[in-house]
Amino acid sequence: MAQQLKNEEGATLIPPPKISASRRSAISAAFNFINSIIGSGILGLPYALSQAGLPLGLLFLIIVAFITDYSIILLIKGGNLSGTNSYQALVQSTFGFPGFLVLSALQFLYPFIAMISYNITTGDTLTKVFQRIPGVGPGHILAERHFVILLSTVAFTLPLSLYRNIEKLGKVSLLSMVLTMAILITVIIRAATLGPQIPPTEDAWVFAKANAIQAAGIMSFAFICHHNSFLIYGSLEQPTIASWTRVTHVSVGSALIISAAFAVAGYTTFTGYTQGDIFENYCKDDNLATFGRFCFGLSIVTTFPLECFVTREVLSNVLCCRELTRAEHAGLTVLIVTACTSMSLAFDCLGVVLELNGVLSATPLIFIIPSACFLKLSPGRWFQGENLIPSILILTGVFVMITGLTMTGLYPQDCSHGVEMFYCADANVSGTVPPA
């Protein structure tokens, strides 16, 4: 019989309850899940509301979150039905080698472009932060975006990307969530203090605008996390549909609350002047915005490794179809990170590319492929019983892809990278103190 612990008065002490391994793995999975959703795409959500209209944009955001939640669970159900444990294996078992190649291309393209955008965002954001340090001017090395990208890659993103177990990123993802909450608080404060000083545009509060489908593509880009769902599912101590459903509901629900608050606060501050990167709207001399930029730069650095995990797995499945050795793991990781860094050094603004990535990569990965796999594996006809919603999602995904691609071509996103907005000439708006 175990010995009981007693205090000085002789009373029996009850030890504090221990957190089970399964609960710890679920918490870690939820942090990784939320972190994979709330990446650089969150910066474009205020712009998405300006494209769709505030009420319709919020409705679209909720719908995209619901579809994301539903299709992620559908994806794992499809994996269980087919006896597979990866997105690629699931599609290959249902649609053969051609389906495997199509999915591999999409599953590689999305996180790879996302990593490029993370590097660009890191360079553009942190250079503005460093220029607020006394003595760091436009010609200083810390104000050079290429140097900042290289520094963050060597010091942070590459070492974190070299991990072999995604569960080890749980604490890093928790840090990213804390930073995201700090960014959200910054945007909300600025909505209250800066928003009243900026006159709203004429159509600021209309219900809907013409570019609503284009906004849906941006939201799909922001919410997609299907490409690493099997990785996170496999990190659970007890990977079951019930435990996965709980983790998914908590993760997507939390991401929706944070995303909606961020989108509304950002849009109501700048209305029709909202840029694709919301931090481009804030003035360079705004100290609070500088703090937000710093937090977001660190948050992006911690999100990069999650996308690298997926990219590496996709390539390893295509190239060798077995577990990589330590040397192969390190070599492939360095190759991926080097390619992303090289491309991010060559490009300055990826506004249109990110929209196309959302429409062409994120939409089929969220709407079409999980639903198509489930319908192929599930008995019964389309539009009947449990096959009804997957059937509707396929049609919706095709519509969003065609319409979004057309709208992006006709009305491409503007990019005013590094250009101060007109209202920054006012010292009170920019957050600076006018000279005596």
Side-chain angles (χ1 to χ4, degrees):
M1 188 173 181
Q3 184 179 0
Q4 291 183 327
L5 299 176
K6 298 179 181 292
N7 61 13
E8 293 177 355
E9 289 76 21
T12 301
L13 295 176
I14 301 175
K18 295 182 178 179
I19 300 177
S20 65
S22 61
R23 186 177 177 187
R24 283 199 303 270
S25 68
I27 293 173
S28 177
F31 286 151
N32 281 330
F33 224 147
I34 297 171
N35 191 29
S36 67
I37 296 175
I38 304 175
S40 65
I42 195 174
L43 288 190
L45 291 180
Y47 177 78
L49 294 189
S50 73
Q51 294 288 291
L54 179 59
L56 183 61
L58 278 177
L59 179 61
F60 271 19
L61 192 64
I62 294 171
I63 292 174
V64 169
F66 170 80
I67 293 173
T68 300
D69 182 279
Y70 178 84
S71 59
I72 289 170
I73 297 172
L74 201 67
L75 194 64
I76 301 302
K77 285 183 177 178
N80 287 350
L81 286 173
S82 62
T84 54
N85 58 2
S86 73
Y87 205 166
Q88 290 167 291
L90 168 62
V91 174
Q92 185 171 17
S93 69
T94 51
F95 293 103
F97 189 67
F100 170 80
L101 290 179
V102 171
L103 177 74
S104 297
L106 291 173
Q107 210 175 7
F108 171 82
L109 183 65
Y110 173 81
F112 187 79
I113 295 179
M115 286 189 290
I116 295 172
S117 72
Y118 290 170
N119 273 342
I120 291 175
T121 305
T122 299
D124 293 343
T125 300
L126 292 183
T127 50
K128 294 183 178 67
V129 174
F130 292 148
Q131 288 185 58
R132 299 293 292 156
I133 301 174
V136 178
H140 197 277
I141 190 170
L142 290 178
E144 171 57 44
R145 62 181 297 272
H146 296 85
F147 174 77
V148 172
I149 292 173
L150 288 172
L151 178 64
S152 65
T153 298
V154 174
F156 298 105
T157 55
L158 179 57
L160 290 174
S161 298
L162 285 170
Y163 277 123
R164 293 178 69 91
N165 187 353
I166 197 171
E167 189 177 357
K168 292 184 178 180
L169 293 176
K171 292 181 180 179
V172 177
S173 295
L174 173 60
L175 172 62
S176 180
M177 286 181 58
V178 172
L179 293 171
T180 300
M181 295 307 298
I183 298 165
L184 176 60
I185 292 172
T186 299
V187 173
I188 291 174
I189 291 174
R190 271 290 170 252
T193 58
L194 178 60
Q197 302 180 53
I198 301 175
T201 51
E202 214 172 290
D203 57 349
W205 314 117
V206 298
F207 179 83
K209 295 182 182 178
N211 293 342
I213 300 300
Q214 194 174 356
I218 297 172
M219 294 172 187
S220 298
F221 173 81
F223 264 85
I224 185 172
C225 50
H226 299 61
H227 51 298
N228 55 26
S229 295
F230 278 98
L231 284 172
I232 299 176
Y233 176 71
S235 72
L236 292 174
E237 185 74 17
Q238 297 177 354
T240 63
I241 292 296
S243 62
W244 178 247
T245 299
R246 287 193 296 270
V247 169
T248 302
H249 288 340
V250 170
S251 303
V252 177
S254 301
L256 173 61
I257 293 172
I258 295 171
S259 299
F262 188 95
V264 171
Y267 174 72
T268 54
T269 306
F270 304 108
T271 60
Y273 305 116
T274 305
Q275 299 295 306
D277 178 350
I278 190 66
F279 278 120
E280 291 296 318
N281 278 104
Y282 297 103
C283 306
K284 292 181 180 179
D285 295 334
D286 188 330
N287 293 325
L288 185 60
T290 298
F291 171 74
R293 290 186 180 105
F294 174 75
C295 291
F296 188 76
L298 290 183
S299 175
I300 286 301
V301 166
T302 60
T303 306
F304 184 102
L306 286 171
E307 305 299 347
C308 188
F309 263 76
V310 180
T311 309
R312 183 174 57 229
E313 186 194 40
V314 171
L315 286 180
S316 64
N317 288 341
V318 172
L319 296 176
C320 56
C321 301
R322 58 174 172 81
E323 186 176 354
L324 299 176
T325 65
R326 288 184 177 273
E328 290 171 341
H329 173 89
L332 187 57
T333 302
V334 171
L335 178 63
I336 293 170
V337 174
T338 300
C340 288
T341 303
S342 300
M343 296 188 70
S344 59
L345 293 174
F347 292 95
D348 192 13
C349 179
L350 288 178
V352 175
V353 177
L354 293 180
E355 283 190 0
L356 290 174
N357 198 22
V359 172
L360 295 179
S361 299
T363 300
L365 288 172
I366 292 178
F367 290 78
I368 300 174
I369 298 178
S371 301
C373 290
F374 183 80
L375 288 174
K376 187 75 179 292
L377 296 168
S378 176
R381 297 182 177 181
W382 286 35
F383 301 102
Q384 291 184 1
E386 64 177 355
N387 292 342
L388 175 61
I389 296 180
S391 302
I392 295 174
L393 289 184
I394 290 178
L395 296 179
T396 303
V398 172
F399 173 77
V400 170
M401 284 185 66
I402 296 175
T403 309
L405 181 61
T406 303
M407 295 297 290
T408 300
L410 294 177
Y411 306 101
Q413 175 183 331
D414 294 327
C415 181
S416 58
H417 170 75
V419 179
E420 284 275 77
M421 302 298 290
F422 68 92
Y423 47 75
C424 291
D426 187 341
N428 291 327
V429 170
S430 65
T432 60
V433 179

